[in-house]
Amino acid sequence: MIYVHIPFCKSRCLYCDFFSTTSLDLRGGFLRSLLNEIKERTEEIRLARANTIYIGGGTPSQMAPNDLKAIFDTLQCISPLEEGAEVTMECNPDDVSSEFIEGLLATPVNRVSMGVQCMNDDLLHLLNRRHTAEQARKAVEMLRCAGYHNISIDLMYGLPGQTMEMWQNDVDELLSMRVPHLSAYSLQWEEGTALYRMMEKGQVSEAPEELSIEMYRYLVEATRCAGMEHYEISNYALPGMRARHNSGYWRNEAYVGLGPGAHSYDGKAKRSSNPPDLLYYIKTTGLPQQEVELLDEDALYEEYVLKSLRTMDGLDLGLLAPKYRNYALKMVQPHILAGRVEHHGDVLRLTEDGIFVSNDVMSDMML
Ligand code: SF4
């Protein structure tokens, strides 16, 4: 699994604390450094396998088509794409134009993940998103016309001023479009973001928790009626359309992350990351001093609990050493009795009620 982080955005959305910059003039230096990093990390890239590639950000669709092609060409020289590989690129609806699609067709991208967030223009404007609902509709249509049917849409709920009716309209419209994959997250109020500061000044307020829960319940039910699998806490897919790259993260598979701020994992006990500092990344031609973390047995156990319980495949007790298996079973018992976790054979899985208190369940299972 290969991840490439493109740290550029045309403008900043008010709620966002991802690592990205609006200094688009740094794209040239970034690209040179990224291509160098790819060439210098050949061995790791080969070991991580090109069975999935995910180009994320930031906003990858802010890179010129030729630059994207150069990234894929360089990657493929080192590690040719495996048969049937999933190649995803994130993009923003306002970037989807005929020229953009023409450029995309020259790359191996076969899955597009689009940040739509909501279909209400007032809310989009409030969040400083650059697109309108109509642009999102158009983008899906244009991508489909060009043959891109594997489309994932990101949505947000619990937005300031978002009513249940607005949310139902968004969900209903997207489901009627038969988009095969949805990711929906409740708005996180991250300190340091512009939206957080607006909340502190009393200009916006958090949605009541009950409303966010009601929105989540509506989504779960509506996606189920539409034949989608709710296969991870925040992800829904038509049969056969699960995100393979993200599923690999949840299964603890090895991946290599390229670009500033990108993380890598060797599939065993070593995590490493490039610092989230674009100028430093450019100065070191893509070879910054990495931060490295070695996970001990306890950390690996906790990581497995956190990742596996997010998915509907659940936590396989059979994969744990006896001391961790016994501990996990003891700590999860009250949640099984309360109907928040199911226990079948060796597998523990959150029930629908358990999903709403997943943080409590997971934290009780920590060491
Ligand atoms: S486009 Fe995405 S990465 Fe960029 S600021 Fe908005 S939410 Fe953050």
Side-chain angles (χ1 to χ4, degrees):
M1 302 204 310
I2 299 171
Y3 174 78
V4 180
H5 189 76
I6 309 286
F8 298 101
C9 292
K10 208 162 158 186
S11 56
R12 295 283 301 168
C13 307
L14 298 192
Y15 55 85
C16 179
D17 76 337
F18 291 165
F19 168 58
S20 76
T21 172
T22 51
S23 304
L24 301 180
D25 52 328
L26 294 174
R27 282 180 293 190
F30 160 75
L31 181 68
R32 278 190 295 281
S33 301
L34 177 66
L35 299 183
N36 190 48
E37 184 185 13
I38 295 172
K39 287 175 196 152
E40 293 293 329
R41 293 180 68 187
T42 304
E43 207 44 47
E44 272 178 89
I45 292 171
R46 287 194 180 134
L47 280 174
R49 297 177 46 210
N51 54 347
T52 66
I53 299 183
Y54 193 102
I55 313 286
T59 313
S61 46
Q62 279 295 305
M63 294 298 284
N66 280 345
D67 295 348
L68 289 168
K69 189 166 177 319
I71 296 170
F72 281 114
D73 287 350
T74 312
L75 275 173
Q76 294 218 69
C77 272
I78 286 165
S79 182
L81 273 178
E82 293 185 11
E83 183 76 22
E86 176 192 271
V87 185
T88 306
M89 190 170 106
E90 289 180 352
C91 72
N92 271 14
D94 53 313
D95 288 331
V96 178
S97 60
S98 320
E99 303 78 65
F100 170 79
I101 289 179
E102 204 178 303
L104 205 61
L105 287 167
T107 71
V109 169
N110 53 27
R111 181 172 184 273
V112 173
S113 174
M114 197 153 57
V116 169
Q117 314 313 355
C118 75
M119 298 293 277
N120 179 289
D121 286 344
D122 293 335
L123 284 178
L124 288 167
H125 184 68
L126 170 78
L127 299 173
N128 202 33
R129 297 286 305 174
R130 295 184 301 276
H131 61 90
T132 60
E134 186 52 24
Q135 278 175 304
R137 286 181 200 107
K138 261 244 157 72
V140 172
E141 202 180 297
M142 288 174 76
L143 286 164
R144 281 180 165 160
C145 281
Y148 292 101
H149 296 284
N150 195 351
I151 297 173
S152 176
I153 282 188
D154 282 356
L155 282 176
M156 290 170 85
Y157 58 93
L159 300 171
Q162 188 179 34
T163 62
M164 189 63 195
E165 197 189 344
M166 288 177 189
W167 175 242
Q168 287 173 337
N169 288 342
D170 287 4
V171 172
D172 293 352
E173 176 170 3
L174 288 166
L175 291 178
S176 74
M177 287 157 77
R178 297 297 286 161
V179 173
H181 190 279
L182 293 177
S183 300
Y185 299 91
S186 73
L187 173 68
Q188 300 298 307
W189 294 82
E190 305 289 356
E191 252 180 87
T193 59
L195 198 64
Y196 193 89
R197 286 193 291 279
M198 284 169 73
M199 178 177 70
E200 286 178 322
K201 287 185 201 149
Q203 293 164 337
V204 289
S205 51
E206 269 187 82
E209 201 189 338
E210 313 77 65
L211 177 60
S212 288
I213 292 177
E214 209 190 322
M215 289 175 167
Y216 183 74
R217 282 198 193 277
Y218 183 79
L219 177 68
V220 170
E221 186 54 22
T223 47
R224 195 181 58 75
C225 291
M228 297 179 101
E229 282 183 290
H230 182 191
Y231 71 102
E232 196 267 348
I233 288 183
S234 309
N235 285 277
Y236 309 80
L238 286 175
M241 302 304 279
R242 291 184 183 195
R244 281 161 43 200
H245 187 84
N246 286 345
S247 296
Y249 288 144
W250 301 320
R251 279 196 303 266
N252 249 356
E253 290 176 12
Y255 54 88
V256 64
L258 304 157
H263 294 248
S264 303
Y265 174 54
D266 70 353
K268 296 180 193 110
K270 184 181 159 196
R271 283 190 180 294
S272 52
S273 59
N274 288 340
D277 181 338
L278 178 57
L279 290 176
Y280 175 49
Y281 182 77
I282 293 175
K283 199 167 138 210
T284 55
T285 56
L287 299 171
Q289 180 75 47
Q290 289 199 319
E291 286 155 24
V292 177
E293 185 191 1
L294 294 175
L295 305 173
D296 61 14
E297 273 193 325
D298 286 357
L300 287 169
Y301 158 78
E302 292 193 338
E303 182 107 1
Y304 180 59
V305 170
L306 293 174
K307 285 184 175 162
S308 60
L309 277 184
R310 290 191 65 85
T311 70
M312 298 310 138
D313 293 335
L315 182 155
D316 185 347
L317 291 162
L319 296 178
L320 296 176
K323 70 170 178 179
Y324 294 115
R325 186 163 56 234
N326 295 338
Y327 177 80
L329 263 175
K330 184 174 130 204
M331 300 313 285
V332 81
Q333 233 16 262
H335 297 294
I336 295 175
L337 292 174
R340 294 188 280 267
V341 174
E342 298 171 346
H343 182 193
H344 289 304
D346 256 353
V347 176
L348 297 175
R349 197 178 286 116
L350 290 173
T351 60
E352 204 177 297
D353 284 341
I355 288 174
F356 295 107
V357 288
S358 57
N359 287 343
D360 298 341
V361 176
M362 291 173 192
S363 97
D364 285 349
M365 294 176 73
M366 296 294 101
L367 295 166

